[in-house]
Amino acid sequence: MKLTLEQQAVVAHRAGHARVAAVAGAGKTTTMVARVLHLLEQGMSPRRILVLMFNRSAREDFQARLASMAPPGQPLPDVRTFHSLGHRLTASLTRWGVLAPRQLLNADWQVQRLLRQATQLALQDSQDASEHAFDDERLEALAQFCGLVKAEMADPIELYERLDFGENTQHFVAAFDKAEQLLADQGLMTWSDLLYRPLRALEADAELRGRVQGFLDHVIIDEYQDINLAQQRLLAVLADDKAAVMAVGDANQCIYEWRGARPDAMLDTFSRVFGEAVDYPLSTTFRHGHALALAANHAIDANRCRPDQLCLAAPNNPDTQLVLDRGNRGMLRSLAQWQHQGRRLEEACLLVRSWALSVPLQLALLREGIPFRLVREDRFVFRLPLVQALAGYLMLARDSSLLRDAGHVLSLLSQPTPFVARDRLAALAARLADTQRWPSRQDPLLGGIKPFQQRTLKKRWMLLCELPSKSAVSPAELLALVIERVDAEKVLKRAAARRDKGEEDVRLLDVLIEQAGEVASLDDFIELLSRPVESKEHGVLITTVHGAKGLEWPLVVLAGVNEEDFPYYTRDNPPDPARLEEERRLFYVAITRAKEQLTLLDDGGAHRSSRFLLEMAWQDSQAVAKRLTGVVSSQPLSVTNPGLVNRYLTRLGIEGFAVGGASVPSQPLADTYYQVGQRLTHAIFGQGDITIVEGDPANPVIEVVFRGGGTRRLVANLAPITVL
């Protein structure tokens, strides 16, 4: 295999620990395979080499490539995931009598059942809280909490106080303790226990550690930026001070902090855990062209917790095109042009920051009859319980006979949740469908339903009775009326086990109202929401950025590139600097999935274009790429960040055209501090007053009312402004 000089340096690493910073598309798997083969050629025993991959598919791919490149009959080293490593350790410690035998809970429903039991035990003396604790979302949040306790080897109380799990989760710490007791009593364990239990045992017993140490000379870990503290500590135990650890990854692609990963795992933390290491860059991407490589470098440049490394496009890469467009029409334009070029839809991917933002894409594709597929089948718009219920409300405006359908009435009373047990709701729905009247206050049917819950349900029933008179109202107005009358925003936020989940559900409401405004009639909108579609293998893929990690497509359409969507935040919960850096890393991962074309879409609505569009300097990146691919011009280029662009050209060894700075400063003055009420002057719009300051104080987005230029939103550090 032909390797670059950077890859050859990694393969030939002599001794000690190493950190390999590999940009997206840098061929790190190829390099790691070559490194293993090199060690084997040097006479290293395969039994003393351990290769750790992030997941099963990555492990299988690595094993297949290693086997295909190795000489026939060559024994190969162990290639494992962390879970399979933990499974082997657990088996050994159990065989030695250190750990009690336990059976692994493989299925999600088994874990959920255990957490239900733990929750019931934790809340046995708290009837008020138990009403909200058993829904799927809250159990999912509890599972995440329990997993984080074990991933971070944390004290449950300290972890709960540090994280924001929202209302009605105060039982999580007690439920964790009860779950641990149930696991022990029933001889069970979860996937997290495969590392948690062996690590606790090993760290508590020096003699035991000695039994598992000394068997390795080399450990190579892929996607090191995504490992959690428990995984890192287990590596430190197994490697001891004898094995050479090679960490391969990219701190700029650390996007699993909610699972315990930290961006400094590839940076300072590695040195603290293992000691000094030789740093190797893999800077050349074989995925996309200069325009996207430059845009990616610009996009991540504002982050402070990152490696000082540029992504460079290889000479024979595709000439990647960057396109900025708007909303569903822009998405449809990109797909139509793609097909016009004779390309297949399955070569394209529609990326979103969150599943709520996929709803307008799904509806637009449904309207146009364009096949698509979702990574998660349960995220089809018509399968979401909230969407089904809202469609049911709208259906009442067209068909009053549904008021006598007990099943239909039950579905509407149930969504958004009224925090009432389903059996009570079912009995109430059956009575209402039969009598068409709200029960009297003394009716035993209302027994056990608290007064505020009765008021909520009665208000909802009155809305159902009123809806048949609203058939002439537009779809958007009717949907907005329903959402307001059922207090959907407040209920969804209260019902969510995590703040970000509640905010995403509320964003889904906004998206549905926006989409209802694009449909001519109520019947058409109801039919659209109720259309039974399935994933089409030949259709365009829709997935989230988290789900796209490690993948690539010729065409990537990134939708929802707006403030409050990407970066994700709300006006009452603006991002702090650390959160903004996390969002920026996620954006970096999103745009670097593309090979031939990246289309970026904002929605043109109330949420302004994302600051990330300005930060990535896509127009400058396109202009420089044109020069590099042969577009001749005698004029020097004027760019917003000449230092970064010139570094890129220097790394490529390019000479022959000048790059200078525009009138836009690349960094703010050290003493510049933006605040509401300040007056400033803009090189184009003149004088104005700051009305909003959002985001990182060192690099905020500001909204300015200009005397002659209207209201503008600006990324302060990139705008040609001077504070007066």
Side-chain angles (χ1 to χ4, degrees):
M1 69 186 93
K2 187 175 181 179
L3 302 176
T4 67
L5 293 177
E6 287 184 339
Q7 291 172 324
Q8 291 175 35
V10 174
V11 171
H13 171 66
R14 291 184 177 275
H17 304 309
R19 292 183 296 196
V20 181
V23 302
K28 61 184 176 65
T29 302
T30 298
T31 307
M32 292 166 63
V33 167
R35 171 65 177 169
V36 171
L37 294 176
H38 174 76
L39 291 174
L40 295 174
E41 289 171 1
Q42 298 298 307
M44 182 63 60
S45 167
R47 295 174 61 87
R48 299 189 66 82
I49 302 172
L50 173 64
V51 181
L52 287 168
M53 308 301 291
F54 188 65
N55 54 38
R56 182 183 297 178
S57 63
R59 183 194 69 188
E60 293 173 349
D61 177 61
F62 187 89
Q63 286 177 318
R65 294 176 68 172
L66 182 61
S68 68
M69 299 297 296
Q74 168 69 59
L76 299 176
D78 216 1
V79 181
R80 290 186 174 271
T81 64
F82 272 101
H83 279 139
S84 67
L85 175 64
H87 202 288
R88 184 172 68 173
L89 273 173
T90 298
S92 296
L93 296 180
T94 302
R95 190 169 61 252
W96 299 343
V98 177
L99 297 178
R102 293 194 185 184
Q103 182 179 353
L104 180 65
L105 296 175
N106 282 299
D108 290 342
W109 68 265
Q110 293 174 309
V111 176
Q112 189 177 70
R113 182 177 63 182
L114 178 101
L115 293 178
R116 282 183 180 276
Q117 294 173 341
T119 299
Q120 189 170 15
L121 291 172
L123 294 173
Q124 57 187 351
D125 298 324
S126 177
Q127 184 62 36
D128 288 344
S130 66
E131 294 178 357
H132 320 300
F134 297 96
D135 59 85
D136 290 343
E137 288 181 5
R138 210 168 306 278
L139 290 173
E140 182 181 340
L142 176 58
Q144 181 188 352
F145 172 75
C146 295
L148 270 177
V149 170
K150 297 178 179 182
E152 298 193 8
M153 304 296 290
D155 175 80
I157 297 175
E158 182 277 328
L159 183 70
Y160 181 81
E161 291 175 349
R162 173 158 53 90
L163 300 179
D164 181 10
F165 279 93
E167 296 182 14
N168 303 309
T169 61
Q170 293 84 355
H171 65 284
F172 275 16
V173 173
F176 172 83
D177 292 337
K178 296 296 184 183
E180 288 297 281
Q181 188 62 53
L182 287 170
L183 288 169
D185 292 346
Q186 299 174 24
L188 301 172
M189 61 181 172
T190 66
W191 287 100
S192 298
D193 288 316
L194 291 176
L195 297 181
Y196 182 67
R197 295 178 71 224
L199 180 56
R200 290 185 66 186
L202 289 167
E203 290 188 334
D205 188 336
E207 183 178 348
L208 185 62
R209 290 197 297 275
R211 296 185 66 177
V212 301
Q213 291 172 337
F215 294 97
L216 297 172
D217 291 322
H218 291 274
V219 182
I220 302 172
I221 312 102
D222 189 27
E223 301 288 6
Y224 193 86
Q225 78 281 347
D226 289 328
I227 74 170
N228 57 46
L229 185 60
Q231 293 168 333
Q232 198 166 51
R233 281 163 60 170
L234 182 62
L235 277 177
V237 169
L238 297 179
D240 193 20
D241 58 355
K242 301 177 182 64
V245 177
M246 176 176 281
V248 184
D250 182 5
N252 290 335
Q253 297 187 67
C254 177
I255 61 173
Y256 295 120
E257 291 193 67
W258 49 276
R259 290 199 316 214
R262 294 292 182 268
D264 63 355
M266 282 286 294
L267 304 172
D268 297 339
T269 303
F270 184 92
S271 300
R272 289 198 303 270
V273 173
F274 297 105
E276 293 186 3
V278 180
D279 287 308
Y280 295 98
L282 291 182
S283 301
T284 301
T285 180
F286 300 95
R287 179 175 296 165
H288 46 250
H290 293 299
L292 185 46
L294 278 163
N297 289 324
H298 280 91
I300 203 65
D301 189 57
N303 272 14
R304 294 294 159 259
C305 185
R306 64 177 178 83
D308 184 18
Q309 180 180 18
L310 288 179
C311 173
L312 309 172
N316 297 323
N317 285 6
D319 181 18
T320 312
Q321 300 299 304
L322 307 181
V323 178
L324 183 63
D325 213 324
R326 178 150 290 176
N328 293 339
R329 293 181 181 178
M331 180 263 294
L332 295 173
R333 259 192 299 271
S334 277
L335 295 180
Q337 291 168 358
W338 189 251
Q339 291 182 289
H340 184 71
Q341 297 167 14
R343 308 298 295 269
R344 295 174 291 117
L345 283 176
E346 53 263 46
E347 295 180 286
C349 178
L350 307 181
L351 282 185
V352 288
R353 168 63 179 80
S354 65
W355 280 113
L357 298 177
S358 75
V359 169
L361 305 181
Q362 293 185 50
L363 295 178
L365 294 171
L366 285 171
R367 283 197 298 267
E368 299 296 323
I370 298 174
F372 63 94
R373 52 201 167 98
L374 271 67
V375 169
R376 286 182 53 180
E377 294 276 338
D378 64 320
R379 300 309 302 191
F380 272 112
V381 59
F382 66 90
R383 293 185 186 174
L384 300 176
L386 179 61
V387 173
Q388 291 178 333
L390 291 174
Y393 280 104
L394 301 184
M395 290 166 64
L396 265 178
R398 305 298 294 160
D399 184 1
S400 61
S401 68
L402 292 173
L403 275 175
R404 297 193 175 277
D405 183 334
H408 194 83
V409 172
L410 174 61
S411 69
L412 304 191
L413 294 180
S414 302
Q415 284 286 341
T417 178
F419 304 105
V420 176
R422 188 166 180 83
D423 57 342
R424 295 185 187 277
L425 283 179
L428 178 60
R431 172 76 69 82
L432 292 172
D434 181 47
T435 66
Q436 297 291 288
R437 294 178 59 185
W438 185 257
S440 66
R441 189 174 299 178
Q442 294 76 28
D443 195 311
L445 187 65
L446 298 179
I449 302 179
K450 296 180 179 179
F452 81 91
Q453 295 169 334
Q454 293 183 31
R455 290 193 295 272
T456 296
L457 292 170
K458 184 176 182 180
K459 181 179 177 182
R460 202 166 290 186
W461 170 249
M462 292 173 65
L463 171 64
L464 301 188
C465 295
E466 181 184 340
L467 284 174
S469 66
K470 302 289 185 182
S471 60
V473 178
S474 72
E477 290 176 328
L478 186 57
L479 187 57
L481 172 69
V482 169
I483 288 171
E484 178 186 0
R485 294 280 291 275
V486 300
D487 293 322
E489 181 174 339
K490 182 173 71 174
V491 172
L492 290 174
K493 286 183 176 180
R494 182 186 173 200
R498 302 186 314 276
R499 180 195 290 240
D500 58 345
K501 180 62 173 65
E503 291 171 348
E504 181 177 344
D505 289 341
V506 171
R507 179 65 177 127
L508 174 59
L509 300 178
D510 295 337
V511 168
L512 287 171
I513 293 174
E514 291 166 5
Q515 294 305 300
E518 297 185 11
V519 179
S521 72
L522 186 58
D523 288 338
D524 289 343
F525 190 58
I526 293 170
E527 190 275 333
L528 194 59
L529 292 182
S530 308
R531 193 175 298 179
V533 296
E534 301 289 341
S535 281
K536 304 294 184 183
E537 287 303 315
H538 63 286
V540 58
L541 178 68
I542 302 178
T543 188
T544 62
V545 181
H546 284 102
K549 176 74 181 302
L551 303 175
E552 61 183 31
W553 294 270
L555 170 63
V556 169
V557 179
L558 178 59
V561 190
N562 313 289
E563 288 294 308
E564 300 184 48
D565 289 332
F566 210 169
Y568 172 72
Y569 63 94
T570 61
R571 291 293 178 94
D572 59 352
N573 185 30
D576 58 27
R579 175 65 175 155
L580 197 56
E581 291 213 357
E582 184 181 358
E583 288 291 301
R584 196 174 282 114
R585 287 192 295 273
L586 193 61
F587 183 74
Y588 176 86
V589 168
I591 64 176
T592 54
R593 301 308 95 196
K595 297 171 65 176
E596 299 175 34
Q597 180 176 322
L598 170 67
T599 298
L600 300 140
L601 305 174
D602 67 8
D603 62 16
H607 293 176
R608 308 289 181 146
S609 297
S610 171
R611 71 190 73 190
F612 294 160
L613 292 177
L614 285 175
E615 290 180 355
M616 72 185 290
W618 67 278
Q619 290 170 307
D620 289 352
S621 301
Q622 289 268 60
V624 174
K626 286 183 179 179
R627 296 285 183 94
L628 290 173
T629 52
V631 177
V632 179
S633 174
S634 60
Q635 297 296 320
L637 280 177
S638 182
V639 297
T640 59
N641 194 338
L644 189 154
V645 174
N646 279 313
R647 279 182 62 207
Y648 186 89
L649 298 176
T650 300
R651 287 294 312 277
L652 292 178
I654 299 293
E655 297 179 358
F657 68 90
V659 175
S663 60
V664 181
S666 59
Q667 295 292 336
L669 295 175
D671 59 352
T672 299
Y673 178 75
Y674 301 96
Q675 55 188 334
V676 173
Q678 275 182 330
R679 181 158 297 174
L680 52 77
T681 183
H682 189 284
I684 297 174
F685 305 121
Q687 287 192 7
D689 298 308
I690 299 177
T691 57
I692 295 175
V693 179
E694 298 173 341
D696 183 357
N699 183 26
V701 170
I702 60 176
E703 189 167 287
V704 183
V705 177
F706 291 100
R707 297 178 183 179
T711 300
R712 305 280 176 170
R713 287 175 66 84
L714 310 168
V715 177
N717 291 1
L718 298 178
I721 57 177
T722 303
V723 176
L724 300 178

